[in-house]
Amino acid sequence: MERRELLKLIASATGTALFAGNVLAYTDVPAVPLSDTLFNEKDVALLNEMGEVIIPQTDTPGAKAANVGATMAVLITDCYTPLLQKTFLDGIKKISLLSQSRFNKQFVQLTKQEREALFNDLDVEAKAANLANGVYQGVETGKPSQWEPGTDEPTPHYFTLLKQLTLYCFFTSQVGATKVLRYVAIPGRYDGAFPYKKGDKAWAT
């Protein structure tokens, strides 16, 4: 999947542009220790559970199989401004509080149906909040400088950030690219007449 196609997918799914700072400038780098991020193992496990609601395992792997939580931890730490970091971290706490108040259970204890109901409501809330606040809805990424400390620029809804990162981390992961999308290593031979059947998976590049 090309970069712009991924941006379009994320914008279409969340109703807003990808708010990821310089995430798209990221290149292959050595693994970052979790201790160097704002998160711990318990946080990553929770993010994986939340991501699995957004991209569940079906006949193909889901977000948890791609360990999206670990990638989120690095991207949020390295690519988000402090204000966006705070929005995301406060939002995860809000989801936990909503789970407790609505179902009297921690998020990880919720049933599949309860998780889906909670996230469906948050998705509707997030899109309405972003629209009301005039959060940019184009395809290009939001500029990270928009959310430096002291700005009065409205931040995206926290659920929007969670959903966007889940999609981005999944479809750029090895699992997402090779098990869900079709993948051919580059360089490879050019075939301008490669057969296509309706319903074939998109290509990962």
Side-chain angles (χ1 to χ4, degrees):
M1 182 179 293
E2 294 181 355
R3 172 184 178 274
R4 190 165 182 82
E5 291 305 310
L6 178 57
L7 291 178
K8 286 180 179 179
L9 181 152
I10 292 173
S12 175
T14 62
T16 67
L18 173 64
F19 299 100
N22 59 344
V23 62
L24 291 175
Y26 236 61
T27 56
D28 290 337
V29 294
V32 176
L34 193 57
S35 58
D36 289 349
T37 73
L38 302 171
F39 302 82
N40 56 39
E41 290 183 4
K42 185 176 180 181
D43 296 328
V44 168
L46 179 59
L47 291 175
N48 278 332
E49 293 294 337
M50 291 180 175
E52 189 74 10
V53 183
I54 297 168
I55 305 180
Q57 178 177 337
T58 53
D59 56 336
T60 56
K64 195 189 301 186
N67 197 18
V68 296
T71 308
M72 283 189 211
V74 175
L75 295 182
I76 292 165
T77 301
D78 288 356
C79 302
Y80 271 18
T81 63
L83 186 53
L84 285 179
Q85 289 173 350
K86 184 177 187 304
T87 299
F88 185 89
L89 293 169
D90 288 349
I92 298 304
K93 293 177 183 176
K94 287 179 183 177
I95 293 175
S96 296
L97 290 173
L98 282 170
S99 172
Q100 197 67 46
S101 63
R102 183 167 171 178
F103 301 106
N104 199 30
K105 290 186 285 189
Q106 296 180 5
F107 183 85
V108 294
Q109 298 174 318
L110 298 182
T111 65
K112 179 177 181 289
Q113 291 73 24
E114 289 169 340
R115 293 182 182 192
E116 289 175 351
L118 179 60
F119 272 26
N120 284 337
D121 289 346
L122 284 175
D123 197 36
V124 172
E125 177 187 309
K127 289 177 180 177
N130 290 332
L131 185 62
N133 290 328
V135 174
Y136 183 63
Q137 299 186 33
V139 173
E140 298 302 329
T141 56
K143 297 177 181 178
S145 59
Q146 287 178 269
W147 299 289
E148 291 290 358
T151 181
D152 58 359
E153 189 84 17
T155 58
H157 191 279
Y158 61 86
F159 185 76
T160 299
L161 298 179
L162 173 65
K163 188 173 181 179
Q164 290 184 340
L165 277 177
T166 298
L167 292 169
Y168 180 82
C169 293
F170 180 77
F171 285 109
T172 56
S173 71
Q174 182 181 18
V175 168
T178 62
K179 304 297 184 184
V180 177
L181 300 172
R182 293 184 294 172
Y183 176 76
V184 174
I186 301 297
R189 72 181 179 86
Y190 173 74
D191 185 349
F194 192 85
Y196 169 79
K197 300 190 300 296
K198 186 175 181 180
D200 280 348
K201 296 176 181 177
W203 290 100
T205 57

